[in-house]
Amino acid sequence: MRIELQNVKKIYNQGMASEVKALRSVSLSIEQGAMVCLRGASGSGKSTLLSIMGCVFPPTSGKAIVGDKQISRLPDRFLTLYRREMIGFIFQRFNVLPQLSVIENITLPLLPLGVSPKERVRRAKPLLEKLSITHRQDFPAGNISGGELQRVAIARALINDPPFLLADEPTAHLDTRLSLEFMDIVCGLKKAGKTVILASHDPLVADHEEVDRIIDIRDGQLVLPKSP
């Protein structure tokens, strides 16, 4: 399965004085099992591009295919259902609920699916162990460190075992040591066969040896490599 975009445009507040053309005729293809970095400054359009790939919302025009679905034609309800099955999304500020425990945060995506409490815990246990946060499972998420919050966000993104993992500025709030730890984790996921797409302007991410491809974006357009 791959991600393919054809002449994708995204316009916010279309037809209004506050109209913003966030993406302008973007076309690209990302193969299964690749680790890709979307690189660009704040406001370049990389987060919008990531959100379209992550089935958060459809493009204004153009064709977007994720796996075997043309998401540009899916109504919002079906887009949400498809995202739950196919996409693990790590948000820039983690979007963890501080009043809930670590394990409750991780298993949140299972609630709309009607998964029993016992089964939710069973699915979470291997992720807690893999990410070394088992000892924090019953702590309120608001009482753990930034690095542990990052691991909670990763575990939550993986709870449905999706083929695609997307992360928006995943190292923006981490120091160098924790950023390297994050990259080690996602490299392991890549080796396990997942497609990993990271939107970041952090050189530690873009220059990592396991990143297969860097896609530069500026002013809503892909920046083509210069000819030699």
Side-chain angles (χ1 to χ4, degrees), residues 11-38:
I11 303 173
Y12 296 110
N13 305 323
Q14 190 170 16
M16 301 171 62
S18 57
E19 179 177 289
V20 175
K21 295 179 179 178
L23 294 177
R24 305 165 185 262
S25 299
V26 171
S27 296
L28 60 85
S29 181
I30 297 174
E31 297 299 323
Q32 180 177 349
M35 182 183 289
V36 173
C37 177
L38 304 178

Side-chain angles (χ1 to χ4, degrees), residues 95-116:
N95 286 11
V96 170
L97 300 179
Q99 71 276 19
L100 296 184
S101 70
V102 163
I103 197 166
E104 287 171 336
N105 270 282
I106 290 170
T107 57
L108 271 176
L110 300 178
L111 293 180
L113 304 179
V115 178
S116 70

Side-chain angles (χ1 to χ4, degrees), residues 118-173:
K118 185 176 180 180
E119 176 63 13
R120 294 201 299 267
V121 172
R122 188 193 71 79
R123 293 192 196 183
K125 289 289 187 181
L127 292 170
L128 287 161
E129 293 172 8
K130 183 173 185 174
L131 295 167
S132 302
I133 49 175
T134 301
H135 63 299
R136 298 295 197 202
Q137 69 176 41
D138 296 320
F139 277 55
N143 293 352
I144 63 176
S145 70
E148 289 166 339
L149 280 174
Q150 176 71 277
R151 290 167 185 264
V152 172
I154 295 169
R156 184 184 56 197
L158 296 174
I159 193 69
N160 284 329
D161 194 26
F164 301 103
L165 180 69
L166 281 62
D168 191 8
E169 296 288 1
T171 62
H173 306 289

